[in-house]
Amino acid sequence: MDKLEIIGKPPGMPGTGLVGTLPIRGAKNAALPIQCAALLASDLTRLRHVPKLTDVSTMNRLLREVGCAVEVIADTDGRTVEIDPRGVAQGSLEAPYEMVKTMRASVTVMGPLLARYGRARVSLPGGCAIGARPIDQHLKGLQALGAKVTLEHGYVDLEAKRLTGGRFLFDKVTVGGTQNVMMAATLAKGHTTLENVAREPEVEELALFLNKMGAQISGAGTPTIEIDGVDELRGIDHAILPDRIEAGTFAVAAAISRGDVLLEHAPVDHMHAIIDTLVAAGAECRVEAGGLRVIGPERLRPFDVVTRPHPGFPTDMQAQIMVLAAMADGASVIRETIFENRFMHVPELNRLGANIVVNGNTAVVRGPTKFSGTTVMATDLRASASLVLAGLVAEGTTEVRRVYHIDRGYEAIEARLCPLGAQMSRYHGGGA
Ligand code: EPZ
């Protein structure tokens, strides 16, 4: 298993701040559901600005598994993917356990397969490091459109000759549930109203993509989405929007290192809660023509954060913002309201010298911290990003193990940060 070695530069040492321009890549959480949406089309879809991440490759493998022809176009630096679903009708229409256990987002093929081919069989996702993460809302939503749902032997079987439009109120705001049911409703007979939906930019981006294919969706980005079903959707060419979470992660890197970084193409309109928190901590955030410029201050101020569905503060930035809090002069309070077990990074950050106390879903972070490098273990994608951030400003060397977690959501992180002044190297087969 790979490991990352980071030679830290505590802020204040001469020439330590990260400086330069960093282009932000396409968003993982926009690319994955859009790859699934290509199943709805009657012909080929071309996706550009696709991030080179292991999760994207896993989704390509799953699409091939259900019968798609998927080609990653080499001469575009591997950032263009062509998906042709014309072979699916003869395929298994099944997302097997081996795939779903590797990547939960595999369940997002459920809605498109059911709507387009009348059947889908998907392994039930087991638990996950950050929480139980059931899919009950996905299934209830599809049942509201007339799907017959059977759970057996760890799999869910869904059937419907043709789905019928209806009204569904989500009991809980869910990104994946909204995306699955919205996609299914595009080919249902009649009108569908979805209430208490997720308003994440990735939901809006998916609706934009579906409408370009010929769907009739309105209200994405608001609590209620309206869909008029159509008979057919066609393949299109689409560029994936930049990743707000990747941009937020690197913004924290600039702020804690007293750096000055231009995050090229950063989707500022999707980052208000993140930017507000950085500014509250004392960082300077300037919207410039090319993107978002983040300048780290001499001293950071403490702040409070509560994670919430969009437009609230994103849970996918919680671990990273905890490192910012650890560098601040005073106590910050961070409350996690989306996932019940998303503080796995805390013991590892405390091993690096932080002073974080967790009580239920609330963490009290006392700073300023003088991080000191040691060996730490990544437990999930965003937790691993927080360990890399702490390692950047730690005294001495930090070894982050199990970096396969970070490769799921950050493309070649060391190759992106080293040109800005970071000292990071990757070692293959670096032990468990
Ligand atoms: C998406 O996951 C993202 N993943 C997650 O990002 C992100 O943390 C999450 O949304 C919240 O913003 C992708 O887009 C691929 P949810 P998703 O359904 O769709 C509960 C990352 O780091 N729930 O909005 O799985 C659930 O348990 C990843 O990039 C139900 O109870 O999240 C959770 O507590 C991690 N029943 C809450 O809702 C359901 O049927 C929100 O989950 C569905 C969800």
Side-chain angles (χ1 to χ4, degrees):
M1 262 181 243
D2 290 11
K3 66 178 182 182
L4 277 175
E5 211 169 74
I6 308 164
I7 299 172
K9 300 181 176 177
M13 269 169 58
T16 54
L18 297 177
V19 175
T21 298
L22 187 54
I24 298 301
R25 299 293 184 210
K28 167 181 83 79
N29 291 348
L32 297 176
I34 285 177
Q35 286 171 277
C36 297
L39 287 164
L40 291 162
S42 50
D43 50 12
L44 183 130
T45 288
R46 176 178 300 111
L47 301 177
R48 291 175 285 111
H49 299 173
V50 178
K52 295 200 280 186
L53 304 169
T54 50
D55 273 9
V56 167
S57 312
T58 304
M59 190 61 88
N60 285 341
R61 268 193 298 119
L62 174 57
L63 293 175
R64 289 190 185 102
E65 176 92 19
V66 296
C68 290
V70 180
E71 200 189 337
V72 178
I73 313 297
D75 64 1
T76 62
D77 191 15
R79 289 183 204 294
T80 295
V81 177
E82 291 185 347
I83 301 170
D84 187 338
R86 281 173 279 200
V88 172
Q90 291 76 43
S92 64
L93 301 175
E94 177 174 324
Y97 175 68
E98 291 314 318
M99 292 268 170
V100 177
K101 81 172 169 56
T102 317
M103 180 183 66
R104 312 178 55 76
S106 308
V107 301
T108 324
V109 297
M110 225 166 16
L113 286 177
L114 176 64
R116 178 91 172 74
Y117 302 96
R119 201 169 57 77
R121 180 172 163 78
V122 174
S123 165
L124 277 172
C128 160
I130 63 176
R133 304 182 72 180
I135 59 167
D136 59 307
Q137 295 298 304
H138 300 233
L139 302 180
K140 280 174 85 176
L142 294 170
Q143 273 171 322
L145 300 185
K148 180 167 155 290
V149 175
T150 326
L151 296 173
E152 217 169 38
H153 306 301
Y155 277 75
V156 53
D157 279 285
L158 303 104
E159 268 181 66
K161 206 155 168 329
R162 175 151 191 204
L163 294 169
T164 312
R167 196 184 71 74
F168 180 66
L169 168 66
F170 286 91
D171 307 327
K172 188 165 185 158
V173 172
T174 154
V175 174
T178 301
Q179 293 168 331
N180 239 330
V181 183
M182 176 171 74
M183 286 192 278
T186 57
L187 291 178
K189 197 161 187 37
H191 184 82
T192 296
T193 301
L194 301 178
E195 295 169 283
N196 193 29
V197 298
R199 301 167 59 190
E200 267 64 10
E202 296 78 23
V203 171
E204 270 193 81
E205 171 78 353
L206 178 60
L208 172 76
F209 176 78
L210 293 165
N211 280 345
K212 282 169 70 177
M213 293 170 88
Q216 295 182 7
I217 302 171
S218 58
T222 78
T224 303
I225 292 177
E226 306 284 351
I227 305 140
D228 282 309
V230 297
D231 295 336
E232 188 183 358
L233 295 171
R234 58 186 182 282
I236 55 159
D237 179 299
H238 182 79
I240 303 289
L241 90 171
D243 194 328
R244 62 194 171 108
I245 304 297
E246 182 184 83
T249 304
F250 294 141
V252 171
I256 60 175
S257 69
R258 300 185 189 167
D260 182 344
V261 176
L262 175 66
L263 303 165
E264 218 175 28
H265 319 307
V268 175
D269 292 344
H270 301 154
M271 299 174 67
H272 294 312
I274 300 170
I275 294 170
D276 292 352
T277 307
L278 285 159
V279 171
E284 201 182 328
C285 294
R286 288 195 210 141
V287 179
E288 297 189 352
L292 177 69
R293 186 160 170 206
V294 179
I295 302 166
E298 287 290 310
R299 308 179 75 84
L300 287 162
R301 295 188 293 266
F303 53 88
D304 296 343
V305 154
V306 181
T307 66
R308 294 210 187 287
H310 192 83
F313 187 89
T315 172
D316 293 349
M317 276 297 300
Q318 180 255 96
Q320 301 93 309
I321 220 78
M322 200 175 263
V323 179
L324 185 73
M327 300 294 283
D329 297 352
S332 303
V333 178
I334 296 180
R335 197 147 58 85
E336 173 60 55
T337 71
I338 306 290
F339 292 106
E340 62 275 23
N341 186 34
R342 203 169 202 180
F343 284 140
M344 304 277 277
H345 40 283
V346 169
E348 299 299 306
L349 288 174
N350 283 343
R351 275 177 48 71
L352 286 160
N355 174 357
I356 306 167
V357 177
V358 170
N359 186 355
N361 71 349
T362 302
V364 177
V365 186
R366 288 191 176 76
T369 304
K370 286 200 176 331
F371 283 113
S372 59
T374 184
T375 301
V376 286
M377 194 73 82
T379 48
D380 62 79
L381 167 58
R382 308 304 171 182
S384 50
S386 74
L387 301 179
V388 167
L389 291 172
L392 288 172
V393 291
E395 176 74 42
T397 302
T398 298
E399 187 183 289
V400 182
R401 297 198 172 170
R402 297 189 180 166
V403 286
Y404 61 84
H405 285 293
I406 213 163
D407 295 336
R408 298 187 60 175
Y410 298 89
E411 202 181 297
I413 195 163
E414 70 277 16
R416 314 271 297 289
L417 290 174
C418 286
L420 275 63
Q423 271 189 278
M424 295 170 72
S425 332
R426 177 182 294 248
Y427 294 93
H428 301 290

